[in-house]
Amino acid sequence: QVQLVESGGGLVQSGGSLRLSCAATGFTFSTYPMAWYRQAPGLERELVARSTSATGRTVYTDMVRGRFTISRDNARRTLYLQMNNLTPDDTAVYYCNAGGCAGSVCWPEYWGQGTQVTVSS
């Protein structure tokens, strides 16, 4: 049974930091692309950062590049998102994502239940 369990969300002041974790079970973590998405109230879910499996290449949305860092520990089957210099615009539910398509290659896609990040001004 596939499970993605996020943790590390919470309330932080503007300029602060948080580190999200996503513990994965039920699939071969090291072979899957992994990503963090977020969804703010009234808005669509958006990609925050993505980590490929084969090359370790990372991709960030422009709004977080230079402030957020995605990383993965394949031995621990865990995905991380280090978030620094947070602003109120970063307030959202953050979701862990596994799989999807990268170019012409596709994996089964899975989602976590989400963790709330709230940044106060």
Side-chain angles (χ1 to χ4, degrees):
Q1 181 182 0
V2 173
Q3 279 194 311
L4 298 173
V5 180
E6 300 101 333
S7 60
L11 174 63
V12 64
Q13 288 188 333
S14 185
S17 298
L18 284 173
R19 188 194 194 203
L20 304 183
S21 299
C22 171
T25 57
F27 63 99
T28 309
F29 179 85
S30 62
T31 67
Y32 269 62
M34 299 294 297
W36 289 98
Y37 284 73
R38 67 185 181 186
Q39 187 168 20
L43 300 180
E44 293 186 355
R45 191 173 297 187
E46 63 173 356
L47 175 68
V48 175
R50 184 176 174 89
S51 167
T52 63
S53 55
T55 66
R57 178 173 173 260
T58 56
V59 175
Y60 297 91
T61 187
D62 287 345
M63 289 187 65
V64 308
R65 188 175 295 113
R67 299 188 297 123
F68 291 11
T69 302
I70 187 171
S71 62
R72 61 194 296 163
D73 185 333
N74 287 336
R76 296 179 184 271
R77 305 172 59 86
T78 302
L79 181 73
Y80 302 100
L81 185 68
Q82 178 66 44
M83 305 185 294
N84 298 327
N85 195 20
L86 286 159
T87 75
D89 287 341
D90 296 314
T91 295
V93 178
Y94 284 70
Y95 296 92
C96 179
N97 170 269
C101 294
S104 61
V105 182
C106 293
W107 293 258
E109 190 167 24
Y110 307 110
W111 292 91
Q113 82 288 352
T115 185
Q116 177 70 46
V117 171
T118 303
V119 184
S120 62
S121 57

